[in-house]
Amino acid sequence: MDNKREKIIERIKKLMAVAEDRGATEHEAAAAALAAQRLIAQYDVEQWEIHTAEEEPIEEVYASHAPRRWRWHLARVIAPAFRCKYLETTKSAFHKTNWRNEHLITFYGYKTDATAAAMTFNTLYKIGNRLASRYSRGAAYGTYNAYVVGFVAGIASELEKQTEALMIVVPPKVKEKYEERFNGIKGVDTTLKLGCGWDAHNAESQGFMDGREAVRSHRFEEPETEYVADAPALMGA
């Protein structure tokens, strides 16, 4: 291995360490994970060059609570890009004055991969929710959902390029253990009720561009306080 490639590999390892660092913010971790993914694609780095000879444990890593139904669509795009499978875990948590169920998308894979996937999911979900809520303010029925459908498609258009270029696949051992542990899981309804007309069309187009740019730029900003749109705009979310 030449000196330049060694430096690239070392850079990737450092970025992946940031993604796993408990002291890093979700936004720092997600930006690091995507930056590592870009370098892997650019320099055609093989997985054996990144991971040590000692095999990492295969674990479940929980993303943060994500109440909107489009969480499934986002997880479906992110998981394979980080060599993971995914499922949902529901847990009860106490908030202020009462208990509520939290919906936690759970990434299953080698520890580094699953951690990077969860951090990326957390950040992109927050960004998508913030932008969709802002865009759908005062808009027609289903505009929020139209926007997030486009947002996820934009993310997919970027991540899939790298996944296909590198022929990244979920490792056979991860798939085997996932099927052993979670074989009986029932499917869930992930249907999103979309609006129609120009509002929905424009929302989906804008969402696509914003999702693509979120991955391209890696500029993850702290989401503003979530705007809760009128009920008609969020039905089916």
Side-chain angles (χ1 to χ4, degrees):
M1 186 183 297
D2 61 40
N3 189 50
K4 180 180 178 182
R5 191 164 185 84
E6 285 180 355
K7 289 181 178 179
I8 295 299
I9 301 299
E10 188 60 31
R11 174 63 177 159
I12 292 170
K13 287 181 178 180
K14 287 180 178 178
L15 287 167
M16 294 177 78
V18 171
E20 193 176 1
D21 185 359
R22 291 174 181 264
T25 68
E26 289 180 350
H27 299 79
E28 290 169 341
L34 285 171
Q37 184 81 339
R38 176 177 287 181
L39 287 174
I40 289 170
Q42 182 178 349
Y43 293 97
D44 195 22
V45 176
E46 300 287 347
Q47 291 296 322
W48 63 263
E49 295 179 275
I50 301 170
H51 298 290
T52 60
E54 182 180 348
E55 189 174 36
E56 282 193 301
I58 295 175
E59 297 183 355
E60 298 169 54
V61 177
Y62 302 129
S64 300
H65 175 55
R68 308 290 187 205
R69 191 177 290 177
W70 68 278
R71 63 186 178 274
W72 287 99
H73 299 248
L74 181 59
R76 188 179 300 122
V77 167
I78 289 176
F82 290 91
R83 311 193 316 151
C84 292
K85 303 290 283 182
Y86 70 97
L87 61 148
E88 180 169 284
T89 303
T90 302
K91 291 188 173 183
S92 293
F94 189 78
H95 290 268
K96 295 182 179 179
T97 60
N98 63 312
W99 290 85
R100 75 176 185 189
N101 286 333
E102 289 194 335
H103 303 283
L104 308 177
I105 290 295
T106 306
F107 293 94
Y108 187 77
Y110 288 110
K111 184 178 179 181
T112 299
D113 295 334
T115 300
M119 293 299 97
T120 302
F121 174 91
N122 289 343
T123 297
L124 291 176
Y125 179 87
K126 289 178 181 177
I127 292 174
N129 187 54
R130 169 173 59 88
L131 295 176
S133 296
R134 178 190 298 167
Y135 193 94
S136 62
R137 185 178 302 178
Y141 167 87
T143 302
Y144 176 98
N145 285 343
Y147 181 95
V148 295
V149 164
F151 186 76
V152 172
I155 292 169
S157 72
E158 289 300 307
L159 291 185
E160 286 173 1
K161 289 177 187 176
Q162 298 180 21
T163 301
E164 291 173 3
L166 279 175
M167 295 184 289
I168 293 175
V169 296
V170 178
K173 192 168 184 179
V174 171
K175 291 176 69 174
E176 180 183 335
K177 285 186 171 293
Y178 178 87
E179 289 167 4
E180 285 177 1
R181 289 194 59 188
F182 308 110
N183 189 39
I185 290 181
K186 295 181 180 180
V188 297
D189 181 12
T190 63
T191 304
L192 296 176
K193 297 177 182 178
L194 304 181
C196 57
W198 284 110
D199 274 353
H201 173 78
N202 292 338
E204 188 170 347
S205 297
Q206 185 62 50
F208 181 90
M209 291 187 289
D210 290 343
R212 185 176 57 187
E213 181 59 21
V215 176
R216 284 181 176 178
S217 69
H218 301 165
R219 289 196 297 271
F220 294 132
E221 301 174 353
E222 285 286 350
E224 301 167 357
T225 301
E226 178 184 350
Y227 168 76
V228 179
D230 294 338
L234 293 178
M235 289 181 67

